[in-house]
């Protein structure tokens, strides 16, 4: 009934007939057939200007010298079946998922893949344990609800067109704020590998991480060992990619951010009007938790903001990976030239940047929206800190387009009827 979930995330990679991960790892200019289309997607003219001075050339510039889209992918986050009604039902979340799927299925050409950045469903018994006497569920009922939510998630997301690969990564509501051996085994049984890597084009490498392994100390040695193994695996993958290409790819943003915050074009270090093939690997990282929200060195003492949900205040610091676990990863991303990291978990849109130019791109949910007082406070100083806070906080997906000159751009697209993202 749900064949795309049976064997797609196995062997630490994403298996899909439309993806080139089985091809020999060589730079583009050595004659590899890209296997991607440059047709125009519905409602997205990929060869027109974006409205961003970085990407748009003068009116007299010939279209033939402008970068073309090699392929696209879509980011979704926090489908979180059950969140809105505290696990009484998840009809509303299912409807949001179906709207996102309808959008992707209608794209021409279709995206290479869709990544759902964690919290696929809401129920995990550890959250009910923390409620104590206030919990409405026994542990057995928790497991039954979780299993049903996962079953429904698979049925709904099997409606995604077969040409679009689907990546499901785990969030804290999938395996717990502090994962256990049991919770990880149950997740892997349902969805396959919790971390993996794959190519979406001959020079575009995607690393999918299980950030719950280092979002908080679990106290369980098995989980700490999993975290160490994942870190070592990630470092080996980064080395392998860079050894196949001449130098790190620097996706540095030049010039001003577009005032709307909707379309942000990332420019490679050679920002000219030529349409030469890029000879450097572009590396993207995907996880549930943001590495940081506003600043790569932030920590609880410097983060005063909070969100409110179910009569509780959730501090902004809850949403990010602790600094002591964040910095070793950022050091690797700096060393190997990671272009951008994508996440969810914050239930809002937010785009920040490291000191070395990596974009931290947080995508809003397909479930309940939150509103951070910290984000509101930051709006007044966004330009000074390189933040993009003008994207609407509404339900939607993020379309990422990779161009054949080695740059990329992204746009948040609302799925709410009547909501228009400018």
């Amino acid at each position: 009934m749900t064949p795309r979930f049976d064997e797609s995330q196995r062997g630490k990679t994403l298996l899909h007939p439309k993806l080139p991960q089985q091809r020999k790892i060589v730079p583009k200019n050595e004659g590899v057939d890209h296997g991607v289309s440059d047709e125009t997607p519905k409602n997205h003219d990929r060869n027109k200007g974006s409205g961003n001075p970085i990407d748009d050339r003068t009116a007299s510039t010939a279209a033939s010298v402008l970068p073309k889209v090699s392929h696209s992918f879509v980011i979704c986050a926090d489908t979180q079946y059950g969140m809105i009604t505290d696990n009484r039902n998840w009809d509303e979340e299912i409807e949001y998922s179906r709207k996102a799927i309808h959008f992707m299925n209608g794209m021409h050409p279709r995206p290479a893949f869709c990544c759902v950045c964690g919290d696929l469903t809401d129920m995990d018994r550890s959250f009910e344990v923390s409620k104590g006497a206030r919990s409405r569920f026994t542990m057995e009922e928790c497991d039954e609800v979780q299993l049903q939510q996962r079953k429904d998630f698979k049925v709904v997301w099997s409606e995604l067109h077969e040409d679009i690969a689907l990546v499901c990564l785990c969030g804290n509501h999938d395996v717990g704020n502090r994962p256990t051996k049991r919770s990880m085994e149950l997740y892997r049984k349902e969805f396959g590998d919790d971390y993996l890597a794959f190519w979406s084009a001959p020079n575009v490498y995607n690393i999918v991480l299980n950030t719950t392994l280092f979002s908080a100390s679990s106290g369980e040695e098995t989980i700490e060992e999993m975290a160490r193994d994942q870190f070592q695996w990630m470092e080996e993958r980064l080395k392998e990619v860079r050894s196949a290409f001449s130098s790190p790819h620097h996706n540095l943003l030049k010039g001003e951010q577009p005032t709307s915050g909707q379309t942000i074009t990332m420019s490679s270090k050679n920002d000219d009007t030529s349409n030469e093939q890029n000879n450097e690997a572009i590396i993207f990282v995907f996880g549930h938790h943001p590495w940081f929200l506003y600043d790569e060195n932030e920590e609880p003492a410097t983060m005063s903001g909070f969100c409110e949900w179910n009569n509780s205040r959730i501090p902004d610091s809850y949403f990010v990976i602790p600094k002591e676990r964040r910095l070793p990863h950022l050091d690797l991303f700096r060393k190997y030239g990671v272009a951008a990291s994508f996440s969810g978990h914050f239930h809002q849109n937010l785009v920040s940047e490291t000191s070395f130019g990596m974009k931290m791109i947080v995508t809003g949910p397909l479930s309940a929206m939150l509103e951070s007082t910290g984000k509101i406070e930051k709006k007044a100083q966004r330009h000074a800190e390189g933040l993009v806070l003008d994207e609407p906080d509404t339900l939607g997906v993020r379309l990422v387009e990779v161009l054949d000159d080695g740059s990329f751009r992204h746009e948040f697209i609302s799925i709410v009827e009547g909501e228009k993202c400018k």
Side-chain angles (χ1 to χ4, degrees):
M1 190 174 183
T2 55
R4 72 154 64 236
F5 295 93
D6 292 342
E7 295 294 336
S8 59
Q9 293 185 200
R10 307 292 177 185
K12 293 293 189 292
T13 191
L14 182 64
L15 302 175
H16 190 275
K18 297 291 185 179
L19 296 176
Q21 73 270 11
Q22 299 301 327
R23 297 178 182 178
K24 183 180 178 182
I25 302 174
V26 293
K28 273 180 149 184
N29 65 350
E30 293 189 17
V32 177
D33 177 13
H34 297 176
V36 291
S37 170
D38 62 357
E39 296 177 45
T40 303
K42 184 182 292 186
N43 299 324
H44 288 85
D45 188 338
R46 289 176 167 177
N47 295 324
K48 284 186 178 180
S50 65
N52 187 318
I54 302 168
D55 185 58
D56 292 350
R57 315 301 181 186
T58 63
S60 61
T61 303
S64 61
V65 301
L66 293 177
K68 295 182 179 180
V69 173
S70 77
H71 72 291
S72 67
F73 57 89
V74 173
I75 301 293
C76 302
D78 300 281
T79 47
Q80 209 157 337
Y81 287 14
M83 178 181 182
I84 295 172
T85 65
D86 197 17
N87 291 306
R88 290 177 176 85
N89 67 72
W90 38 97
D91 297 341
E92 198 169 345
E93 292 93 335
I94 285 177
E95 180 62 22
Y96 297 148
S97 285
R98 285 200 161 118
K99 287 183 177 182
I101 291 166
H102 178 75
F103 168 76
M104 288 182 275
N105 287 349
M107 290 178 62
H108 298 284
R110 296 184 179 91
F113 68 92
C114 169
C115 182
V116 183
C117 286
D119 280 3
L120 312 179
T121 60
D122 186 69
M123 174 59 82
D124 180 84
R125 59 160 58 183
S126 63
F127 290 91
E128 294 302 315
V129 169
S130 67
K131 293 178 182 179
R134 294 183 295 108
S135 176
R136 297 182 294 108
F137 300 95
T138 66
M139 292 301 96
E140 291 76 13
E141 289 172 334
C142 289
D143 293 344
E144 290 173 2
V145 170
Q146 183 185 66
L147 189 62
Q148 186 61 51
Q149 288 176 347
R150 288 177 171 180
K151 178 181 178 181
D152 291 346
F153 177 92
K154 289 182 179 183
V155 170
V156 171
W157 281 87
S158 290
E159 297 171 11
L160 187 67
H161 195 281
E162 62 182 10
D163 284 350
I164 307 171
L166 178 65
V167 188
C168 294
L169 61 87
C170 62
N172 55 308
H173 275 270
D174 300 308
V175 296
N177 278 335
R178 288 175 171 80
T180 64
K181 182 180 179 181
R182 175 186 180 276
S183 69
M184 288 308 311
E185 288 175 347
L186 288 174
Y187 180 84
R188 289 167 178 166
K189 178 181 178 182
E190 294 290 335
F191 296 101
D193 290 337
D194 53 306
Y195 60 93
L196 56 127
F198 63 97
W199 297 88
S200 53
N203 72 320
V204 181
Y205 197 59
N206 305 282
I207 298 178
V208 178
L209 298 177
N210 176 0
T211 58
T212 67
L213 295 179
F214 38 75
S215 62
S217 177
S218 69
E220 185 175 322
E221 179 54 33
T222 300
I223 299 302
E224 295 300 318
E225 184 178 355
M226 288 181 187
R228 291 191 293 269
D229 289 346
Q230 180 181 236
F231 186 88
Q232 181 179 355
W233 170 88
M234 178 187 66
E235 184 172 19
E236 290 171 353
R237 298 291 77 72
L238 289 167
K239 288 180 179 178
E240 180 180 282
V241 172
R242 283 294 166 234
S243 68
F245 288 82
S246 56
S247 61
H249 186 278
H250 302 284
N251 258 298
L252 303 179
L253 184 65
K254 299 179 180 179
E256 294 296 322
Q257 303 272 7
T259 56
S260 69
Q262 292 311 295
T263 301
I264 303 166
T265 301
M266 309 298 295
S267 176
S268 64
K269 61 180 180 180
N270 296 316
D271 186 23
D272 56 32
T273 58
S274 66
N275 195 27
E276 296 179 357
Q277 295 287 318
N278 178 57
N279 190 33
E280 299 172 344
I282 306 170
I283 302 175
F284 296 122
V285 172
F286 304 80
H288 179 60
H289 300 75
W291 299 101
F292 59 93
L293 293 179
Y294 313 111
D295 179 85
E296 64 193 276
N297 291 306
E298 67 193 13
E299 48 193 331
T302 64
M303 304 175 76
S304 59
F306 60 88
C307 302
E308 291 189 350
W309 179 251
N310 280 347
N311 300 315
S312 298
R313 285 190 173 187
I314 309 172
D316 281 0
S317 58
Y318 167 80
F319 294 101
V320 301
I321 294 169
K323 186 177 179 180
E324 65 272 15
R325 296 195 171 211
R326 174 196 320 152
L327 294 183
H329 290 83
L330 293 185
D331 285 344
L332 282 185
F333 298 164
R334 178 189 294 108
K335 179 178 180 179
Y336 293 103
V338 171
S341 183
F342 299 92
S343 80
H345 192 42
F346 195 37
H347 286 253
Q348 301 156 79
N349 290 309
L350 178 64
V351 180
S352 303
E353 185 176 348
T354 65
S355 59
F356 56 92
M358 184 196 82
K359 285 293 176 180
M360 181 66 252
I361 302 171
V362 185
T363 297
L366 290 175
S367 55
M369 296 296 307
L370 299 179
E371 183 178 62
S372 166
T373 61
K375 181 178 171 181
I376 293 172
E377 292 171 0
K378 288 287 184 181
K379 281 192 174 183
Q381 56 194 87
R382 64 183 182 273
H383 293 298
E385 297 190 1
L387 301 173
V388 176
L389 299 166
D390 293 332
E391 292 182 328
D393 283 324
T394 184
L395 307 174
V397 302
R398 189 175 300 278
L399 173 64
V400 182
E401 295 180 319
V402 183
L403 308 182
D404 62 4
D405 69 344
S407 64
F408 71 95
R409 60 194 178 202
H410 63 95
E411 176 184 5
F412 181 79
I413 299 168
S414 173
I415 61 164
V416 178
E417 189 173 353
E419 179 76 37
K420 183 178 180 182
C421 294
K422 300 179 180 180

